[in-house]
Amino acid sequence: MIGLLLRRLAVVGPVLLAASVLVFALPRLVGVDPARAVLRARSAEAVPDPATEARLRSSLGLDAPVTEQYLRWLGGVLRGDLGHGYVARTPVAGQIADAAAVSGLLAVLALALAAVVGIPAGAYAARRPGGLLDRFLGLGTVAGVAVPEFVLAPWLVLVFAVWAGALPALGWGDPAHLVLPVLTLAAYPGALAAQLVRAETAGVLARPHVLVARAKGLGAHRVLWRHGARLATTSVTALAGMFVAGLLGGSVVVEVVFGIPGLGRLLHRAVVAQDLPVVQAGTLLVVAVAVVAGVLVEVLATALDPVLRSAGSR
């Protein structure tokens, strides 16, 4: 296990280095001029003054070779100095930290809700394939997978905030503000987790050794969780790793609809305003979280699955 962890961690550095090159180069490849982006953020002039633009390029070091600019930027990232945003003119590190804390809380709560609801629902539906619970779960999971966030979020606002008046539609800072965003974010991973657990548990329960255990009088509940759902949690763990980075930086629709000051909303505003330091720092953070989460999930899945554990030790 330790060897597997070390092998996977050895890949993290090169992957993040390659990602940093792409994150730094992408704005320039699509034709975004950092100097003009700064001037547009600070002035209403359609055409910037050439002399002002030249002075700004020199002060920002944009007249240096691209390789030198990248190394200077990467050095700042490694030191934790991400520069200042073009729009807010405040340290990017502070903006990213505050927004990531909000999105991280939403991501953790959404994944926890998806697991708490999806895993037991899928497991119990697998006990009687074709039964009432199984059919109900099938309809619910299809809806959870098919309905996108930009449709589900307004409907939740309409039902629970406008019609029922039970929950706030917008805002942040009160526990009640968490309910609708977390429900929206948990719908898709929860539906996928239920489908996956149901399919894998039903397959395990049909295996000969499980049928023998039932014939020997082992209780249905113990059979379900010891032989069936326990093995399915390996796949669910891998699924959670796929959603961590997406929930951290990809919940733009949810954060915009509910007025949440998270990372997705911050990146959306930064892209519109061409605030490159914020875009680059936020994107690199999402990539880093995705890579590290992928490594940790693989190690955890190997620890949970005896077959993977024996294969990884070879």
Side-chain angles (χ1 to χ4, degrees):
M1 284 298 300
I2 297 178
L4 175 63
L5 177 60
L6 293 177
R7 289 196 300 271
R8 294 299 180 265
L9 289 177
V11 181
V12 172
V15 171
L16 292 181
L17 182 62
S20 70
V21 174
L22 293 176
V23 168
F24 178 81
L26 187 59
R28 291 158 175 83
L29 293 177
V30 298
V32 176
D33 188 332
R36 295 195 174 185
V38 174
L39 292 175
R40 276 194 296 269
R42 299 179 180 179
S43 174
E45 296 181 6
V47 180
D49 178 60
T52 303
E53 182 178 343
R55 287 194 301 271
L56 181 61
R57 287 184 185 279
S58 177
S59 65
L60 295 177
L62 297 175
D63 52 354
V66 176
T67 305
E68 182 180 334
Q69 296 180 41
Y70 166 73
L71 292 176
R72 185 170 60 248
W73 174 77
L74 181 61
V77 171
L78 295 177
R79 296 191 306 270
D81 180 10
L82 304 176
H84 288 67
Y86 296 163
V87 177
R89 303 191 191 186
T90 58
V92 174
Q95 298 182 51
I96 295 294
D98 293 341
V102 172
S103 294
L105 176 61
L106 289 177
V108 169
L109 293 177
L111 287 177
L113 179 62
V116 168
V117 175
I119 293 176
Y124 283 110
R127 293 177 60 183
R128 295 182 178 84
L132 180 62
L133 178 59
D134 190 27
R135 292 197 298 269
F136 179 77
L137 179 72
L139 293 175
T141 55
V142 168
V145 172
V147 179
E149 293 174 348
F150 63 83
V151 174
L152 180 59
W155 271 102
L156 289 178
V157 171
L158 184 64
V159 173
F160 292 100
V162 178
W163 291 348
L167 294 168
L170 298 171
W172 183 255
D174 189 272
H177 292 132
L178 292 168
V179 178
L180 296 183
V182 169
L183 285 176
T184 306
L185 291 173
Y188 185 64
L192 284 184
Q195 289 179 342
L196 187 59
V197 171
R198 188 265 175 214
E200 294 203 3
T201 303
V204 172
L205 293 179
R207 293 177 183 175
H209 72 281
V210 177
L211 298 178
V212 171
R214 283 179 171 177
K216 290 182 178 181
L218 189 64
H221 185 79
R222 295 184 64 187
V223 169
L224 177 66
W225 290 105
R226 176 178 294 182
H227 296 282
R230 184 176 64 85
L231 295 178
T233 55
T234 302
S235 300
V236 175
T237 302
L239 183 69
M242 295 171 54
F243 281 105
V244 168
L247 290 176
L248 179 63
S251 55
V252 178
V253 172
V254 172
E255 293 181 356
V256 170
V257 169
F258 293 106
I260 298 173
L263 186 60
R265 187 182 181 193
L266 178 66
L267 287 176
H268 174 261
R269 291 182 171 180
V271 169
V272 172
Q274 294 187 354
D275 197 343
L276 295 186
V278 176
V279 173
Q280 290 173 330
T283 305
L284 191 60
L285 174 63
V286 173
V287 173
V289 169
V291 173
V292 174
V295 171
L296 296 179
V297 163
E298 182 179 359
V299 173
L300 180 59
T302 303
L304 292 174
D305 193 329
V307 176
L308 293 177
R309 187 164 59 247
S310 61
S313 62
R314 296 173 185 172

